[in-house]
Amino acid sequence: MALTNSVKQRGSLGNVVQIFASNVFILGLNVLTGIIIARFLGPEGRGEQAAMIMWPRFLAYSLTLGIPAALVYYMKKKNEDQGSLYVTALYMSVLLGFVAMAVGAVIIPVWMKGYSGEVVDFAVWALIMSPVAMIGTINTAALQSRGEYGLYNFMRYIPVLGTLILLCALVATGHVTPFLTSVAYLFPAIPIAVWTTFKLVSRYRLKQKNKAKSGKKLLGYGIRSYGTDVAGTFSGYIDQILVVGLLSPSSLGLYVVSLNLAKMLNTIQGSITSVLFPKASGLQQDEALRLTFKVTRISSVITFMVGAAVFVIAPYLLILLYGPSFAEAVSVFRILIFQTAITSISWILAQGFMSIGKPGAVTIIRMTTLGLNVVFMNLFIPLLGIKGAAISLLATALIELSVIFLIYTLKHRVAVRRWMISKSDIVWLLERIRRQKGRSNTEAM
């Protein structure tokens, strides 16, 4: 209870700052693990390792039925039975995790036919992590809804820290292989998922009432937002999946290193959306949209300033971290930096639709851009290799942002001036920073 009260007192800005700090920490851990993998395995080994570990999360996130978003939406509503909602979502997620395992066991051997038998077999066995990944999405949604961002951050960075420790042990003992490093990436998620689930279930005392009603609510909202989950998941993985099927493990290794390093810009967007959706879901429509646009304007300036700086130092940064064998990935990295920045802004804007109970709009947008992504990648990857994958992502990101702009402008009558940052935005941000400092000083006393 003390943790919950402390978190609630921080306010939205405090939660964003806390999540941002956690994201930066996680980014640093991921960079360190990426350096170890890249330098010891090289592009080909890194590609094999990436191909083996990506399937559990990809398949789990593809089969959520929109339940995590529905859980956040309804747990923020007054007079809702949070215990029944959480436990029902948990049961449904476990079932869907097993469905993901069955689907993966069928498609992986077909899609990865260009890889060795050992790599394919390991990828199939790794599917036992799909239910764990599914439970993780439910726990994350529940913690966001409860405002327990301390525990939310803890369950996100502990597995990454565990991976780093295991990788260091492999280096020390001279056992750095694609298979053992894959175990180091997958295993740490299990104990934290079990521990977090136990804590949440104990708080709700495994409430059994109204589960049928809760399931109906979750599916009702979830199915409407499910396309968003599917499109978001495929958008995050379709490039890697197509590279696995169309190019060599070495090409996948170069691409994954570029992609993971470019995701550093997601630390800003991830911090904001983790707080914005639950916060805006409790507001009236006009207030929710007003908050969404204010946050978008401020975060856009910060994101593109950071992106521009990273673009300049990209050649030195990538080679310094991963070694000369990854020099070929510099041009891809630069494209992905701005693709990530644009996608981040689009996703913050999409929270406005989600928070006012209109997930269908986001679903249509994401499904459309996903279809374009598949078309572009099948055209450009055979012609341009991994650079073609990056160009495809950038093109669809620009299209998605344009469509969101048109919907807000034409349907919701959002004036053009609301897209432009103003002095009042800076004043608003500085005021919240002052309030946050005041809260911190009060708590310290």
Side-chain angles (χ1 to χ4, degrees):
M1 289 295 293
L3 174 62
T4 304
N5 292 337
S6 176
V7 170
K8 287 181 178 178
Q9 290 173 1
R10 285 193 181 95
S12 297
L13 180 60
N15 291 330
V16 170
V17 172
Q18 182 188 17
I19 295 174
F20 177 74
S22 179
N23 285 348
V24 171
F25 181 55
I26 292 171
L27 174 64
L29 293 176
N30 280 327
V31 169
L32 290 174
T33 58
I35 291 172
I36 293 173
I37 297 294
R39 287 190 173 272
F40 279 87
L41 297 182
E44 182 172 356
R46 181 65 178 95
E48 289 180 338
Q49 193 252 1
M52 288 188 287
I53 67 173
M54 73 179 182
W55 295 101
R57 286 188 179 182
F58 166 67
L59 292 169
Y61 296 166
S62 297
L63 294 170
T64 62
L65 297 184
I67 293 171
L71 186 62
V72 172
Y73 182 77
Y74 280 112
M75 286 185 73
K76 293 299 292 185
K77 299 298 181 183
K78 294 180 180 179
N79 303 319
E80 290 288 352
D81 187 347
Q82 292 192 355
S84 178
L85 286 167
Y86 171 71
V87 173
T88 302
L90 197 62
Y91 288 151
M92 295 168 73
S93 70
V94 173
L95 178 61
L96 291 169
F98 284 112
V99 173
M101 289 177 62
V103 173
V106 174
I107 67 173
I108 288 176
V110 177
W111 197 259
M112 293 182 61
K113 57 182 179 292
Y115 287 72
S116 68
E118 292 83 0
V119 171
V120 174
D121 289 342
F122 188 98
V124 173
W125 278 105
L127 291 171
I128 60 175
M129 293 300 298
S130 289
V132 177
M134 196 75 81
I135 291 171
T137 65
I138 299 302
N139 289 341
T140 296
L143 292 173
Q144 286 179 275
S145 303
R146 290 170 59 90
E148 296 190 47
Y149 291 103
L151 184 54
Y152 166 80
N153 288 321
F154 180 78
M155 71 169 287
R156 290 167 58 239
Y157 68 70
I158 283 298
V160 187
L161 181 59
T163 294
L164 179 60
I165 293 171
L166 290 176
L167 289 178
C168 289
L170 291 176
V171 171
T173 57
H175 291 89
V176 183
T177 69
F179 302 100
L180 291 177
T181 55
S182 295
V183 172
Y185 267 83
L186 296 170
F187 175 76
I190 297 176
I192 191 64
V194 172
W195 180 77
T196 306
T197 302
F198 175 79
K199 287 185 70 69
L200 286 169
V201 168
S202 64
R203 289 176 186 177
Y204 290 124
R205 296 181 178 87
L206 205 60
K207 296 183 180 179
Q208 301 294 321
K209 64 178 182 177
N210 299 325
K211 286 222 290 294
K213 181 180 178 182
S214 295
K216 184 177 180 180
K217 284 184 175 181
L218 291 171
L219 286 175
Y221 183 98
I223 292 299
R224 288 184 290 140
S225 68
Y226 177 44
T228 303
D229 283 358
V230 172
T233 299
F234 271 80
S235 296
Y237 285 92
I238 192 63
D239 49 342
Q240 298 176 61
I241 291 172
L242 290 175
V243 170
V244 166
L246 297 174
L247 300 176
S248 66
S250 179
S251 295
L252 178 61
L254 292 170
Y255 184 76
V256 168
V257 163
S258 304
L259 185 66
N260 289 342
L261 196 57
K263 285 181 179 178
M264 67 174 66
L265 294 184
N266 281 339
T267 57
I268 301 171
Q269 172 258 322
S271 308
I272 293 170
T273 55
S274 296
V275 177
L276 179 59
F277 179 33
K279 174 76 173 178
S281 292
L283 302 176
Q284 297 298 318
Q285 178 171 319
D286 290 344
E287 294 176 327
L289 292 181
R290 191 178 301 114
L291 176 62
T292 298
F293 272 85
K294 189 180 292 290
V295 171
T296 300
R297 292 192 296 268
I298 295 171
S299 61
S300 297
V301 173
I302 298 172
T303 299
F304 281 103
M305 287 176 62
V306 174
V310 175
F311 182 89
V312 173
I313 65 173
Y316 315 99
L317 181 64
L318 196 145
I319 296 173
L320 175 66
L321 294 176
Y322 300 107
S325 62
F326 288 88
E328 187 181 342
V330 170
S331 59
V332 176
F333 177 43
R334 280 181 156 167
I335 296 171
L336 290 173
I337 288 169
F338 283 103
Q339 177 270 326
T340 303
I342 294 167
T343 301
S344 296
I345 301 306
S346 295
W347 188 234
I348 293 174
L349 286 168
Q351 302 308 298
F353 296 123
M354 300 288 287
S355 62
I356 62 176
K358 302 291 184 181
V362 184
T363 297
I364 294 172
I365 294 169
R366 291 238 146 176
M367 292 299 289
T368 302
T369 53
L370 173 62
L372 290 173
N373 229 337
V374 173
V375 173
F376 289 165
M377 286 189 179
N378 276 287
L379 289 174
F380 294 138
I381 290 177
L383 293 174
L384 303 172
I386 57 175
K387 185 179 290 186
I391 291 172
S392 299
L393 288 179
L394 178 59
T396 51
L398 290 169
I399 292 171
E400 182 175 88
L401 182 60
S402 300
V403 172
I404 292 176
F405 171 81
L406 290 174
I407 292 176
Y408 272 122
T409 303
L410 300 178
K411 184 175 181 179
H412 293 279
R413 307 295 181 186
V414 175
V416 175
R417 60 182 174 78
R418 291 182 63 181
W419 295 86
M420 309 298 292
I421 194 165
S422 63
K423 181 180 178 181
S424 62
D425 294 327
I426 306 301
V427 172
W428 178 84
L429 179 61
L430 293 175
E431 176 61 27
R432 269 143 189 80
I433 292 174
R434 282 195 292 269
R435 288 182 185 178
Q436 181 59 35
K437 287 183 178 179
R439 288 194 187 97
S440 300
N441 292 336
T442 301
E443 292 175 5
M445 295 174 62

